[in-house]
Amino acid sequence: MNESATPSDRVDDLVRRVEHLESALEGLQDAVYRQDVVHDRQIADLRKRSPRPDAGSPGLRGARS
């Protein structure tokens, strides 16, 4: 920041910096949301492809072979 800048110039500079940070944060939030949606779809696909364990299987009753 320039030492000879007026208080108004300093405020304007800070406003620009905060706006830049807000924009970066929104971009990060969007990216995290998109990744979460992808993970949810992947998990749903895996669940569809995975065989359901039989309710009478030893694994669900706690028995060991």
Side-chain angles (χ1 to χ4, degrees):
M1 214 178 264
N2 187 352
E3 298 263 338
S4 62
T6 65
S8 178
D9 291 339
R10 288 182 177 180
V11 169
D12 290 342
D13 184 46
L14 288 173
V15 167
R16 281 190 296 277
R17 291 170 66 186
V18 168
E19 287 173 347
H20 174 74
L21 290 172
E22 286 176 337
S23 176
L25 179 59
E26 287 174 3
L28 178 60
Q29 288 172 325
D30 290 345
V32 169
Y33 174 77
R34 285 190 304 271
Q35 193 63 39
D36 189 45
V37 169
V38 168
H39 284 157
D40 286 347
R41 286 181 186 155
Q42 290 172 335
I43 290 169
D45 288 344
L46 286 172
R47 285 185 176 150
K48 286 178 188 174
R49 287 189 274 159
S50 297
R52 297 269 176 189
D54 184 15
S57 70
L60 290 180
R61 285 185 281 150
R64 297 183 191 247
S65 38

